[in-house]
PDB file of all heavy atoms in Angstrom:
ATOM      1  N   GLU A 424      10.932   0.231   9.230  1.00 92.00           N
ATOM      2  CA  GLU A 424       9.905   1.264   9.368  1.00 92.00           C
ATOM      3  C   GLU A 424       9.596   1.890   8.023  1.00 92.00           C
ATOM      4  O   GLU A 424      10.512   2.263   7.274  1.00 92.00           O
ATOM      5  CB  GLU A 424      10.366   2.334  10.351  1.00 92.00           C
ATOM      6  CG  GLU A 424      10.601   1.883  11.755  1.00 92.00           C
ATOM      7  CD  GLU A 424      11.013   3.001  12.688  1.00 92.00           C
ATOM      8  OE1 GLU A 424      11.057   4.155  12.209  1.00 92.00           O
ATOM      9  OE2 GLU A 424      11.247   2.736  13.886  1.00 92.00           O
ATOM     10  N   ARG A 425       8.340   2.028   7.749  1.00 94.00           N
ATOM     11  CA  ARG A 425       7.921   2.656   6.489  1.00 94.00           C
ATOM     12  C   ARG A 425       8.238   4.127   6.545  1.00 94.00           C
ATOM     13  O   ARG A 425       8.034   4.793   7.568  1.00 94.00           O
ATOM     14  CB  ARG A 425       6.395   2.432   6.319  1.00 94.00           C
ATOM     15  CG  ARG A 425       5.856   2.946   4.990  1.00 94.00           C
ATOM     16  CD  ARG A 425       4.339   2.699   4.898  1.00 94.00           C
ATOM     17  NE  ARG A 425       3.643   3.470   5.891  1.00 94.00           N
ATOM     18  CZ  ARG A 425       3.282   4.759   5.753  1.00 94.00           C
ATOM     19  NH1 ARG A 425       3.650   5.424   4.663  1.00 94.00           N
ATOM     20  NH2 ARG A 425       2.630   5.363   6.709  1.00 94.00           N
ATOM     21  N   PRO A 426       8.706   4.714   5.427  1.00 94.00           N
ATOM     22  CA  PRO A 426       9.019   6.147   5.418  1.00 94.00           C
ATOM     23  C   PRO A 426       7.735   6.974   5.470  1.00 94.00           C
ATOM     24  O   PRO A 426       6.657   6.489   5.079  1.00 94.00           O
ATOM     25  CB  PRO A 426       9.732   6.352   4.071  1.00 94.00           C
ATOM     26  CG  PRO A 426       9.245   5.228   3.187  1.00 94.00           C
ATOM     27  CD  PRO A 426       9.046   4.060   4.125  1.00 94.00           C
ATOM     28  N   ASP A 427       7.818   8.163   5.968  1.00 95.00           N
ATOM     29  CA  ASP A 427       6.648   9.044   6.076  1.00 95.00           C
ATOM     30  C   ASP A 427       6.418   9.748   4.750  1.00 95.00           C
ATOM     31  O   ASP A 427       6.926  10.849   4.545  1.00 95.00           O
ATOM     32  CB  ASP A 427       6.837  10.041   7.212  1.00 95.00           C
ATOM     33  CG  ASP A 427       5.618  10.921   7.437  1.00 95.00           C
ATOM     34  OD1 ASP A 427       4.547  10.580   6.852  1.00 95.00           O
ATOM     35  OD2 ASP A 427       5.709  11.930   8.127  1.00 95.00           O
ATOM     36  N   THR A 428       5.651   9.123   3.893  1.00 97.00           N
ATOM     37  CA  THR A 428       5.391   9.696   2.560  1.00 97.00           C
ATOM     38  C   THR A 428       4.051  10.372   2.461  1.00 97.00           C
ATOM     39  O   THR A 428       3.748  11.006   1.442  1.00 97.00           O
ATOM     40  CB  THR A 428       5.456   8.595   1.483  1.00 97.00           C
ATOM     41  OG1 THR A 428       4.414   7.656   1.726  1.00 97.00           O
ATOM     42  CG2 THR A 428       6.814   7.892   1.484  1.00 97.00           C
ATOM     43  N   GLU A 429       3.195  10.220   3.481  1.00 97.00           N
ATOM     44  CA  GLU A 429       1.856  10.777   3.498  1.00 97.00           C
ATOM     45  C   GLU A 429       0.970  10.204   2.401  1.00 97.00           C
ATOM     46  O   GLU A 429      -0.008  10.813   1.993  1.00 97.00           O
ATOM     47  CB  GLU A 429       1.860  12.305   3.406  1.00 97.00           C
ATOM     48  CG  GLU A 429       2.594  13.005   4.543  1.00 97.00           C
ATOM     49  CD  GLU A 429       2.477  14.490   4.451  1.00 97.00           C
ATOM     50  OE1 GLU A 429       3.265  15.085   3.672  1.00 97.00           O
ATOM     51  OE2 GLU A 429       1.580  15.084   5.078  1.00 97.00           O
ATOM     52  N   LEU A 430       1.308   9.022   1.935  1.00 98.00           N
ATOM     53  CA  LEU A 430       0.518   8.342   0.900  1.00 98.00           C
ATOM     54  C   LEU A 430      -0.107   7.080   1.475  1.00 98.00           C
ATOM     55  O   LEU A 430       0.536   6.351   2.262  1.00 98.00           O
ATOM     56  CB  LEU A 430       1.419   7.979  -0.288  1.00 98.00           C
ATOM     57  CG  LEU A 430       2.052   9.154  -1.063  1.00 98.00           C
ATOM     58  CD1 LEU A 430       3.022   8.616  -2.091  1.00 98.00           C
ATOM     59  CD2 LEU A 430       0.942   9.980  -1.712  1.00 98.00           C
ATOM     60  N   THR A 431      -1.358   6.806   1.085  1.00 98.00           N
ATOM     61  CA  THR A 431      -2.081   5.652   1.552  1.00 98.00           C
ATOM     62  C   THR A 431      -2.834   4.987   0.435  1.00 98.00           C
ATOM     63  O   THR A 431      -3.588   5.615  -0.316  1.00 98.00           O
ATOM     64  CB  THR A 431      -3.114   6.038   2.649  1.00 98.00           C
ATOM     65  OG1 THR A 431      -2.439   6.702   3.732  1.00 98.00           O
ATOM     66  CG2 THR A 431      -3.840   4.843   3.197  1.00 98.00           C
ATOM     67  N   LEU A 432      -2.611   3.675   0.299  1.00 98.00           N
ATOM     68  CA  LEU A 432      -3.357   2.855  -0.675  1.00 98.00           C
ATOM     69  C   LEU A 432      -4.552   2.269   0.055  1.00 98.00           C
ATOM     70  O   LEU A 432      -4.393   1.615   1.112  1.00 98.00           O
ATOM     71  CB  LEU A 432      -2.475   1.720  -1.200  1.00 98.00           C
ATOM     72  CG  LEU A 432      -1.679   1.993  -2.471  1.00 98.00           C
ATOM     73  CD1 LEU A 432      -0.710   0.823  -2.727  1.00 98.00           C
ATOM     74  CD2 LEU A 432      -2.570   2.191  -3.686  1.00 98.00           C
ATOM     75  N   VAL A 433      -5.740   2.469  -0.493  1.00 98.00           N
ATOM     76  CA  VAL A 433      -6.977   1.888   0.066  1.00 98.00           C
ATOM     77  C   VAL A 433      -7.417   0.763  -0.866  1.00 98.00           C
ATOM     78  O   VAL A 433      -7.634   0.996  -2.063  1.00 98.00           O
ATOM     79  CB  VAL A 433      -8.057   2.986   0.200  1.00 98.00           C
ATOM     80  CG1 VAL A 433      -9.328   2.380   0.817  1.00 98.00           C
ATOM     81  CG2 VAL A 433      -7.547   4.165   1.018  1.00 98.00           C
ATOM     82  N   LEU A 434      -7.553  -0.443  -0.311  1.00 98.00           N
ATOM     83  CA  LEU A 434      -7.810  -1.629  -1.144  1.00 98.00           C
ATOM     84  C   LEU A 434      -8.946  -2.451  -0.580  1.00 98.00           C
ATOM     85  O   LEU A 434      -9.235  -2.426   0.629  1.00 98.00           O
ATOM     86  CB  LEU A 434      -6.527  -2.490  -1.197  1.00 98.00           C
ATOM     87  CG  LEU A 434      -5.278  -1.901  -1.765  1.00 98.00           C
ATOM     88  CD1 LEU A 434      -4.129  -2.873  -1.614  1.00 98.00           C
ATOM     89  CD2 LEU A 434      -5.452  -1.531  -3.249  1.00 98.00           C
ATOM     90  N   PRO A 435      -9.577  -3.262  -1.427  1.00 98.00           N
ATOM     91  CA  PRO A 435     -10.593  -4.224  -0.929  1.00 98.00           C
ATOM     92  C   PRO A 435      -9.906  -5.292  -0.035  1.00 98.00           C
ATOM     93  O   PRO A 435      -8.718  -5.547  -0.137  1.00 98.00           O
ATOM     94  CB  PRO A 435     -11.146  -4.873  -2.193  1.00 98.00           C
ATOM     95  CG  PRO A 435     -10.653  -4.023  -3.343  1.00 98.00           C
ATOM     96  CD  PRO A 435      -9.439  -3.294  -2.898  1.00 98.00           C
ATOM     97  N   ARG A 436     -10.730  -5.893   0.830  1.00 97.00           N
ATOM     98  CA  ARG A 436     -10.230  -6.953   1.698  1.00 97.00           C
ATOM     99  C   ARG A 436     -10.103  -8.254   0.899  1.00 97.00           C
ATOM    100  O   ARG A 436     -10.922  -9.178   1.044  1.00 97.00           O
ATOM    101  CB  ARG A 436     -11.137  -7.125   2.899  1.00 97.00           C
ATOM    102  CG  ARG A 436     -11.113  -5.944   3.888  1.00 97.00           C
ATOM    103  CD  ARG A 436     -12.160  -6.122   4.964  1.00 97.00           C
ATOM    104  NE  ARG A 436     -12.038  -5.100   5.983  1.00 97.00           N
ATOM    105  CZ  ARG A 436     -12.550  -3.881   5.900  1.00 97.00           C
ATOM    106  NH1 ARG A 436     -13.256  -3.541   4.799  1.00 97.00           N
ATOM    107  NH2 ARG A 436     -12.405  -3.028   6.896  1.00 97.00           N
ATOM    108  N   ASP A 437      -9.088  -8.312   0.061  1.00 97.00           N
ATOM    109  CA  ASP A 437      -8.921  -9.428  -0.878  1.00 97.00           C
ATOM    110  C   ASP A 437      -7.435  -9.645  -1.095  1.00 97.00           C
ATOM    111  O   ASP A 437      -6.741  -8.735  -1.524  1.00 97.00           O
ATOM    112  CB  ASP A 437      -9.636  -9.127  -2.194  1.00 97.00           C
ATOM    113  CG  ASP A 437      -9.476 -10.206  -3.218  1.00 97.00           C
ATOM    114  OD1 ASP A 437      -8.885 -11.278  -2.898  1.00 97.00           O
ATOM    115  OD2 ASP A 437      -9.930 -10.018  -4.373  1.00 97.00           O
ATOM    116  N   PRO A 438      -6.912 -10.831  -0.761  1.00 97.00           N
ATOM    117  CA  PRO A 438      -5.454 -11.074  -0.980  1.00 97.00           C
ATOM    118  C   PRO A 438      -5.013 -10.759  -2.400  1.00 97.00           C
ATOM    119  O   PRO A 438      -3.896 -10.252  -2.592  1.00 97.00           O
ATOM    120  CB  PRO A 438      -5.289 -12.557  -0.633  1.00 97.00           C
ATOM    121  CG  PRO A 438      -6.401 -12.843   0.296  1.00 97.00           C
ATOM    122  CD  PRO A 438      -7.551 -11.999  -0.146  1.00 97.00           C
ATOM    123  N   ALA A 439      -5.839 -11.021  -3.401  1.00 97.00           N
ATOM    124  CA  ALA A 439      -5.475 -10.723  -4.789  1.00 97.00           C
ATOM    125  C   ALA A 439      -5.206  -9.242  -4.992  1.00 97.00           C
ATOM    126  O   ALA A 439      -4.268  -8.853  -5.690  1.00 97.00           O
ATOM    127  CB  ALA A 439      -6.539 -11.222  -5.752  1.00 97.00           C
ATOM    128  N   ALA A 440      -6.029  -8.388  -4.373  1.00 98.00           N
ATOM    129  CA  ALA A 440      -5.819  -6.958  -4.478  1.00 98.00           C
ATOM    130  C   ALA A 440      -4.522  -6.533  -3.828  1.00 98.00           C
ATOM    131  O   ALA A 440      -3.798  -5.693  -4.334  1.00 98.00           O
ATOM    132  CB  ALA A 440      -6.994  -6.217  -3.838  1.00 98.00           C
ATOM    133  N   VAL A 441      -4.193  -7.149  -2.674  1.00 98.00           N
ATOM    134  CA  VAL A 441      -2.953  -6.809  -2.007  1.00 98.00           C
ATOM    135  C   VAL A 441      -1.732  -7.256  -2.811  1.00 98.00           C
ATOM    136  O   VAL A 441      -0.739  -6.536  -2.926  1.00 98.00           O
ATOM    137  CB  VAL A 441      -2.942  -7.430  -0.595  1.00 98.00           C
ATOM    138  CG1 VAL A 441      -1.673  -6.994   0.168  1.00 98.00           C
ATOM    139  CG2 VAL A 441      -4.168  -7.043   0.208  1.00 98.00           C
ATOM    140  N   PHE A 442      -1.810  -8.451  -3.383  1.00 98.00           N
ATOM    141  CA  PHE A 442      -0.738  -8.910  -4.242  1.00 98.00           C
ATOM    142  C   PHE A 442      -0.490  -7.922  -5.391  1.00 98.00           C
ATOM    143  O   PHE A 442       0.649  -7.509  -5.649  1.00 98.00           O
ATOM    144  CB  PHE A 442      -1.075 -10.297  -4.823  1.00 98.00           C
ATOM    145  CG  PHE A 442      -0.642 -11.466  -3.982  1.00 98.00           C
ATOM    146  CD1 PHE A 442      -1.085 -11.586  -2.687  1.00 98.00           C
ATOM    147  CD2 PHE A 442       0.194 -12.457  -4.486  1.00 98.00           C
ATOM    148  CE1 PHE A 442      -0.708 -12.666  -1.895  1.00 98.00           C
ATOM    149  CE2 PHE A 442       0.589 -13.532  -3.706  1.00 98.00           C
ATOM    150  CZ  PHE A 442       0.141 -13.641  -2.410  1.00 98.00           C
ATOM    151  N   ALA A 443      -1.575  -7.565  -6.074  1.00 98.00           N
ATOM    152  CA  ALA A 443      -1.436  -6.677  -7.238  1.00 98.00           C
ATOM    153  C   ALA A 443      -0.889  -5.311  -6.876  1.00 98.00           C
ATOM    154  O   ALA A 443      -0.183  -4.646  -7.650  1.00 98.00           O
ATOM    155  CB  ALA A 443      -2.785  -6.548  -7.938  1.00 98.00           C
ATOM    156  N   ALA A 444      -1.163  -4.856  -5.625  1.00 98.00           N
ATOM    157  CA  ALA A 444      -0.763  -3.529  -5.202  1.00 98.00           C
ATOM    158  C   ALA A 444       0.653  -3.465  -4.653  1.00 98.00           C
ATOM    159  O   ALA A 444       1.177  -2.367  -4.398  1.00 98.00           O
ATOM    160  CB  ALA A 444      -1.722  -2.995  -4.136  1.00 98.00           C
ATOM    161  N   THR A 445       1.300  -4.615  -4.486  1.00 98.00           N
ATOM    162  CA  THR A 445       2.592  -4.665  -3.808  1.00 98.00           C
ATOM    163  C   THR A 445       3.677  -3.761  -4.433  1.00 98.00           C
ATOM    164  O   THR A 445       4.315  -2.999  -3.706  1.00 98.00           O
ATOM    165  CB  THR A 445       3.076  -6.118  -3.712  1.00 98.00           C
ATOM    166  OG1 THR A 445       2.207  -6.856  -2.880  1.00 98.00           O
ATOM    167  CG2 THR A 445       4.492  -6.191  -3.149  1.00 98.00           C
ATOM    168  N   PRO A 446       3.902  -3.818  -5.745  1.00 98.00           N
ATOM    169  CA  PRO A 446       4.946  -2.919  -6.281  1.00 98.00           C
ATOM    170  C   PRO A 446       4.656  -1.451  -6.123  1.00 98.00           C
ATOM    171  O   PRO A 446       5.581  -0.631  -5.914  1.00 98.00           O
ATOM    172  CB  PRO A 446       5.014  -3.312  -7.761  1.00 98.00           C
ATOM    173  CG  PRO A 446       4.391  -4.682  -7.838  1.00 98.00           C
ATOM    174  CD  PRO A 446       3.353  -4.665  -6.772  1.00 98.00           C
ATOM    175  N   VAL A 447       3.372  -1.070  -6.145  1.00 98.00           N
ATOM    176  CA  VAL A 447       2.994   0.334  -5.961  1.00 98.00           C
ATOM    177  C   VAL A 447       3.249   0.749  -4.523  1.00 98.00           C
ATOM    178  O   VAL A 447       3.847   1.820  -4.256  1.00 98.00           O
ATOM    179  CB  VAL A 447       1.508   0.544  -6.299  1.00 98.00           C
ATOM    180  CG1 VAL A 447       1.160   2.011  -6.153  1.00 98.00           C
ATOM    181  CG2 VAL A 447       1.204   0.093  -7.722  1.00 98.00           C
ATOM    182  N   ALA A 448       2.861  -0.073  -3.552  1.00 98.00           N
ATOM    183  CA  ALA A 448       3.091   0.212  -2.148  1.00 98.00           C
ATOM    184  C   ALA A 448       4.587   0.345  -1.849  1.00 98.00           C
ATOM    185  O   ALA A 448       5.036   1.244  -1.117  1.00 98.00           O
ATOM    186  CB  ALA A 448       2.496  -0.899  -1.279  1.00 98.00           C
ATOM    187  N   TYR A 449       5.394  -0.516  -2.465  1.00 98.00           N
ATOM    188  CA  TYR A 449       6.857  -0.469  -2.252  1.00 98.00           C
ATOM    189  C   TYR A 449       7.448   0.796  -2.863  1.00 98.00           C
ATOM    190  O   TYR A 449       8.149   1.563  -2.169  1.00 98.00           O
ATOM    191  CB  TYR A 449       7.480  -1.709  -2.903  1.00 98.00           C
ATOM    192  CG  TYR A 449       8.962  -1.598  -3.196  1.00 98.00           C
ATOM    193  CD1 TYR A 449       9.891  -1.553  -2.185  1.00 98.00           C
ATOM    194  CD2 TYR A 449       9.426  -1.541  -4.522  1.00 98.00           C
ATOM    195  CE1 TYR A 449      11.259  -1.488  -2.446  1.00 98.00           C
ATOM    196  CE2 TYR A 449      10.774  -1.458  -4.815  1.00 98.00           C
ATOM    197  CZ  TYR A 449      11.683  -1.439  -3.756  1.00 98.00           C
ATOM    198  OH  TYR A 449      13.036  -1.341  -4.055  1.00 98.00           O
ATOM    199  N   TYR A 450       7.148   1.064  -4.111  1.00 98.00           N
ATOM    200  CA  TYR A 450       7.804   2.201  -4.785  1.00 98.00           C
ATOM    201  C   TYR A 450       7.383   3.543  -4.196  1.00 98.00           C
ATOM    202  O   TYR A 450       8.187   4.484  -4.106  1.00 98.00           O
ATOM    203  CB  TYR A 450       7.500   2.191  -6.271  1.00 98.00           C
ATOM    204  CG  TYR A 450       8.171   3.314  -6.993  1.00 98.00           C
ATOM    205  CD1 TYR A 450       9.558   3.356  -7.141  1.00 98.00           C
ATOM    206  CD2 TYR A 450       7.454   4.410  -7.478  1.00 98.00           C
ATOM    207  CE1 TYR A 450      10.200   4.419  -7.763  1.00 98.00           C
ATOM    208  CE2 TYR A 450       8.062   5.480  -8.087  1.00 98.00           C
ATOM    209  CZ  TYR A 450       9.445   5.482  -8.236  1.00 98.00           C
ATOM    210  OH  TYR A 450      10.080   6.545  -8.809  1.00 98.00           O
ATOM    211  N   LEU A 451       6.135   3.656  -3.754  1.00 98.00           N
ATOM    212  CA  LEU A 451       5.637   4.908  -3.212  1.00 98.00           C
ATOM    213  C   LEU A 451       5.799   4.981  -1.679  1.00 98.00           C
ATOM    214  O   LEU A 451       5.461   5.988  -1.066  1.00 98.00           O
ATOM    215  CB  LEU A 451       4.173   5.105  -3.563  1.00 98.00           C
ATOM    216  CG  LEU A 451       3.853   5.272  -5.045  1.00 98.00           C
ATOM    217  CD1 LEU A 451       2.375   5.487  -5.256  1.00 98.00           C
ATOM    218  CD2 LEU A 451       4.648   6.417  -5.665  1.00 98.00           C
ATOM    219  N   GLY A 452       6.305   3.893  -1.062  1.00 98.00           N
ATOM    220  CA  GLY A 452       6.417   3.889   0.393  1.00 98.00           C
ATOM    221  C   GLY A 452       5.091   4.148   1.058  1.00 98.00           C
ATOM    222  O   GLY A 452       5.003   4.772   2.122  1.00 98.00           O
ATOM    223  N   ALA A 453       4.000   3.609   0.505  1.00 98.00           N
ATOM    224  CA  ALA A 453       2.641   3.931   0.944  1.00 98.00           C
ATOM    225  C   ALA A 453       2.178   3.010   2.037  1.00 98.00           C
ATOM    226  O   ALA A 453       2.550   1.822   2.086  1.00 98.00           O
ATOM    227  CB  ALA A 453       1.703   3.840  -0.271  1.00 98.00           C
ATOM    228  N   ASP A 454       1.364   3.556   2.905  1.00 98.00           N
ATOM    229  CA  ASP A 454       0.616   2.722   3.848  1.00 98.00           C
ATOM    230  C   ASP A 454      -0.487   1.995   3.054  1.00 98.00           C
ATOM    231  O   ASP A 454      -0.909   2.478   1.973  1.00 98.00           O
ATOM    232  CB  ASP A 454      -0.009   3.626   4.935  1.00 98.00           C
ATOM    233  CG  ASP A 454      -0.451   2.792   6.138  1.00 98.00           C
ATOM    234  OD1 ASP A 454      -0.187   1.589   6.189  1.00 98.00           O
ATOM    235  OD2 ASP A 454      -1.107   3.391   7.032  1.00 98.00           O
ATOM    236  N   VAL A 455      -0.951   0.873   3.589  1.00 98.00           N
ATOM    237  CA  VAL A 455      -1.985   0.085   2.892  1.00 98.00           C
ATOM    238  C   VAL A 455      -3.086  -0.258   3.905  1.00 98.00           C
ATOM    239  O   VAL A 455      -2.799  -0.845   4.948  1.00 98.00           O
ATOM    240  CB  VAL A 455      -1.410  -1.220   2.272  1.00 98.00           C
ATOM    241  CG1 VAL A 455      -2.492  -1.921   1.445  1.00 98.00           C
ATOM    242  CG2 VAL A 455      -0.173  -0.927   1.443  1.00 98.00           C
ATOM    243  N   VAL A 456      -4.280   0.188   3.604  1.00 98.00           N
ATOM    244  CA  VAL A 456      -5.418  -0.025   4.534  1.00 98.00           C
ATOM    245  C   VAL A 456      -6.637  -0.506   3.763  1.00 98.00           C
ATOM    246  O   VAL A 456      -6.721  -0.341   2.538  1.00 98.00           O
ATOM    247  CB  VAL A 456      -5.789   1.314   5.266  1.00 98.00           C
ATOM    248  CG1 VAL A 456      -4.572   1.855   6.061  1.00 98.00           C
ATOM    249  CG2 VAL A 456      -6.256   2.348   4.259  1.00 98.00           C
ATOM    250  N   PRO A 457      -7.590  -1.157   4.479  1.00 98.00           N
ATOM    251  CA  PRO A 457      -8.786  -1.630   3.815  1.00 98.00           C
ATOM    252  C   PRO A 457      -9.816  -0.516   3.603  1.00 98.00           C
ATOM    253  O   PRO A 457      -9.859   0.446   4.369  1.00 98.00           O
ATOM    254  CB  PRO A 457      -9.316  -2.705   4.767  1.00 98.00           C
ATOM    255  CG  PRO A 457      -8.836  -2.256   6.124  1.00 98.00           C
ATOM    256  CD  PRO A 457      -7.477  -1.600   5.865  1.00 98.00           C
ATOM    257  N   GLY A 458     -10.636  -0.653   2.567  1.00 97.00           N
ATOM    258  CA  GLY A 458     -11.670   0.307   2.279  1.00 97.00           C
ATOM    259  C   GLY A 458     -12.539  -0.132   1.119  1.00 97.00           C
ATOM    260  O   GLY A 458     -12.169  -1.031   0.369  1.00 97.00           O
TER     261      GLY A 458
END
């Protein structure tokens, strides 16, 4: 379960964007959604 950090990463619908965002999502415990 993801921790409740109240942080959300908004990214384009593109696998390359998700790959590049992975370390940020992990370190910040952020949710990741399209936008």
Side-chain angles (χ1 to χ4, degrees):
E424 296 182 2
R425 185 180 64 83
D427 183 13
T428 63
E429 299 185 277
L430 296 173
T431 302
L432 269 172
V433 182
L434 300 174
R436 291 174 173 83
D437 179 4
V441 184
F442 271 58
T445 295
V447 182
Y449 161 69
Y450 180 70
L451 296 181
D454 196 7
V455 186
V456 300

